């Protein structure tokens, strides 16, 4: 199996509540995306850790579900043959 390494970066300045930061991913899907206390607990534009993790988990679940369905279809075809 080939090792796949993906990288991201984050930058933060200031205190927890008044500070702000940006997050970027190697793919460019996030590029200098703002995040901070106000994007997590208030209605400000930007992202937050829960949103990023939620997106990753939902993508994983979608691919897992799709793979499971394809495998079931292949097993059914093998039984019919």
């Amino acid at each position: 199996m080939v090792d796949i390494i993906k990288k991201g970066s984050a930058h933060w300045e200031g205190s927890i509540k008044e500070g702000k930061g940006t997050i970027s991913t190697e793919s460019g899907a996030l590029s200098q995306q703002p995040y901070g206390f106000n994007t997590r607990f208030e209605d400000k534009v930007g992202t937050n850790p829960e949103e990023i993790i939620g997106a990753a988990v939902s993508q994983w679940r979608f691919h897992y579900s799709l793979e499971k369905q394809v495998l079931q279809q292949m097993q059914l075809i093998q039984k019919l043959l």
Side-chain angles (χ1 to χ4, degrees), residues 21-77:
T22 58
I23 185 169
S24 300
T25 58
E26 179 180 22
S27 69
L30 297 174
S31 180
Q32 301 296 312
Q33 181 67 40
Y35 75 100
F37 184 89
N38 59 3
T39 63
R40 187 174 187 187
F41 299 108
E42 299 171 6
D43 193 23
K44 299 293 181 183
V45 175
T47 191
N48 58 63
E50 293 84 4
E51 184 178 59
I52 295 168
I53 293 168
V57 168
S58 66
Q59 180 185 16
W60 174 83
R61 290 191 68 157
F62 171 77
H63 288 288
Y64 174 76
S65 176
L66 183 61
E67 183 178 332
K68 186 176 176 183
Q69 290 176 12
V70 169
L71 181 59
Q72 288 172 346
Q73 293 295 320
M74 290 175 63
Q75 289 171 339
L76 178 62
I77 290 170

Side-chain angles (χ1 to χ4, degrees), residues 2-37:
V2 176
D3 289 337
I4 299 173
I5 300 171
K6 296 290 181 179
K7 297 179 181 179
S9 63
H11 176 77
W12 183 265
E13 290 184 14
S15 67
I16 298 278
K17 192 166 184 181
E18 287 82 27
K20 60 184 177 178
T22 58
I23 185 169
S24 300
T25 58
E26 179 180 22
S27 69
L30 297 174
S31 180
Q32 301 296 312
Q33 181 67 40
Y35 75 100
F37 184 89

